[in-house]
């Protein structure tokens, strides 16, 4: 499923948070949104999964205006993994994952054998199949994030929206999670904090600062020491590994006062 954001603007508490941002994510593309804290990345993503209503612009799913699509229908196509995992309910890990099948059921619909197999497959993909009987609240932050991804995979989405998906994960599971997402072959739009991971996994990056889009393109074209200095206000050296083609970013110590 193709996603297109056209000149999105968002105002919250009389403050302009996002100003005319446009983003395109084609089916099969892994698109990353990067930028410092407060740049508007999460707010932009929330307009896609309909937590925030933009002031202006349009969001198109396969060319259809999101405002013309029922919530239930968009939920069948779009899954979300946010950076927050606090719950008011004491659910088991299995209950958390099977919730991902909810958009595909009618009113009072019950889980069937197909739902169980889809949910179990999703848990296996994130390496959490042995945790089904655990309480979600007892898991570590990284384990919770992997279960939230499993829940999203159980939804069988055509578009996956990720808000800082590697938060709380050690490097092994950061790589595992992003590799799983990359292998899905669906549209992915992810707000990412780690620039090296963004460069490694994303087909294209959009760079935001202070609510505006300042650059976009393939990672090896736009991730430069000059851009990082302009956007993040830090110095670094960016080099491409001749053997792998991946970018290596070495940050310089900051000598400025806070």
């Amino acid at each position: 499923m193709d996603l297109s954001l056209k000149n999105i603007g968002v105002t919250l508490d009389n403050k302009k948070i996002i100003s005319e941002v446009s983003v395109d994510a084609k089916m099969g593309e892994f698109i990353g949104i990067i930028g410092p804290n407060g740049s508007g990345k999460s707010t932009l993503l929330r307009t896609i999964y309909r937590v925030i209503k933009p002031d202006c612009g349009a969001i198109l799913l396969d060319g259809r205006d999101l405002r013309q699509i029922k919530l239930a229908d968009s939920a069948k196509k779009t899954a979300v993994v946010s950076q927050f995992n606090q719950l008011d309910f004491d659910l088991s890990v299995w209950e958390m994952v099977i919730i991902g099948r909810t958009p595909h059921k009618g009113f009072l619909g019950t889980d069937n054998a197909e739902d169980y197999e889809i949910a179990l497959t999703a848990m296996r993909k994130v390496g959490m199949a042995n945790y089904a009987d655990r309480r979600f609240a007892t898991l570590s932050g990284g384990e919770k994030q992997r279960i939230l991804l499993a829940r999203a995979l159980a939804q069988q989405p055509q578009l996956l929206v990720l808000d800082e998906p590697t938060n709380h994960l050690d490097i092994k599971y950061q790589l595992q999670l992003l590799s799983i997402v990359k292998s899905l072959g669906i549209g992915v739009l992810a707000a990412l904090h780690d620039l090296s991971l963004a460069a490694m996994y994303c087909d294209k990056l959009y760079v935001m600062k202070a609510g505006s889009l300042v650059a976009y393109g393939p990672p090896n074209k736009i991730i430069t020491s000059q851009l990082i200095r302009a956007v993040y206000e830090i110095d670094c050296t960016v080099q491409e590994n001749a053997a792998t083609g991946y970018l290596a970013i070495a940050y310089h110590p900051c000598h400025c006062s806070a």
Side-chain angles (χ1 to χ4, degrees):
M1 183 173 66
D2 295 344
L3 169 71
S4 184
L5 281 66
K6 304 290 187 182
N7 301 316
I8 296 298
V10 175
T11 301
L12 299 174
D13 295 329
N14 297 317
K15 180 180 179 181
K16 195 71 172 178
I17 306 299
I18 296 177
S19 302
E20 298 185 1
V21 171
S22 297
V23 173
D24 288 305
K26 302 297 184 183
M27 185 67 176
E29 285 187 328
F30 193 136
I31 304 299
I33 302 177
I34 61 174
N37 292 340
S39 60
K41 303 186 300 296
S42 293
T43 299
L44 184 67
L45 295 187
R46 288 172 189 157
T47 66
I48 299 169
Y49 55 91
R50 307 177 86 163
V51 171
I52 294 175
K53 184 177 180 180
D55 305 323
C56 59
I59 301 172
L60 308 177
L61 297 179
D62 278 342
R64 293 185 61 196
D65 193 314
L66 185 61
R67 292 168 294 190
Q68 306 303 318
I69 301 175
K70 294 180 180 178
L71 278 170
D73 291 337
S74 63
K76 293 177 182 178
K77 298 180 178 181
T78 305
V80 179
V81 178
S82 71
Q83 57 185 307
F84 303 108
N85 52 34
Q86 297 301 317
L87 288 178
D88 294 327
F89 306 101
D90 184 22
L91 298 179
S92 71
V93 166
W94 176 255
E95 289 169 331
M96 281 293 296
V97 176
I98 203 70
I99 286 174
R101 300 302 302 153
T102 302
H104 299 278
K105 300 181 181 304
F107 182 64
L108 297 179
T110 58
D111 300 322
N112 55 35
E114 181 182 10
D115 295 318
Y116 295 146
E117 183 58 34
I118 290 171
L120 183 56
T121 298
M123 294 183 67
R124 287 172 178 154
K125 282 186 177 181
V126 301
M128 297 292 286
N130 294 332
Y131 286 67
D133 295 330
R134 288 275 302 273
R135 310 311 296 178
F136 182 77
T138 68
L139 302 182
S140 69
E143 289 168 343
K144 287 179 179 178
Q145 200 73 345
R146 289 156 65 193
I147 290 303
L148 293 177
L149 175 61
R151 182 179 66 181
L153 297 182
Q155 200 169 323
Q156 294 187 307
Q158 298 177 40
L159 173 68
L160 187 59
V161 179
L162 307 173
D163 190 353
E164 300 285 3
T166 55
N167 271 9
H168 313 297
L169 298 180
D170 62 37
I171 187 61
K172 172 185 175 181
Y173 292 115
Q174 289 180 37
L175 295 170
Q176 182 194 66
L177 185 147
L178 293 178
S179 294
I180 291 168
V181 170
K182 183 79 170 179
S183 71
L184 296 175
I186 62 175
V188 178
L189 183 63
L192 296 168
H193 183 71
D194 189 304
L195 299 185
S196 296
L197 289 177
M200 183 181 296
Y201 286 96
C202 294
D203 300 305
K204 186 164 57 176
L205 294 175
Y206 287 80
V207 187
M208 294 184 66
K209 183 177 182 181
S212 296
L213 186 66
V214 297
Y216 67 93
N220 61 348
K221 299 294 184 183
I222 66 166
I223 293 186
T224 64
S225 57
Q226 293 83 3
L227 178 131
I228 292 174
R229 176 62 186 169
V231 173
Y232 293 90
E233 301 178 0
I234 56 174
D235 293 316
C236 69
T237 301
V238 180
Q239 294 181 320
E240 183 172 319
N241 186 298
T244 65
Y246 296 137
L247 297 182
I249 304 171
Y251 298 103
H252 302 173
C254 180
H255 301 293
C256 57
S257 59

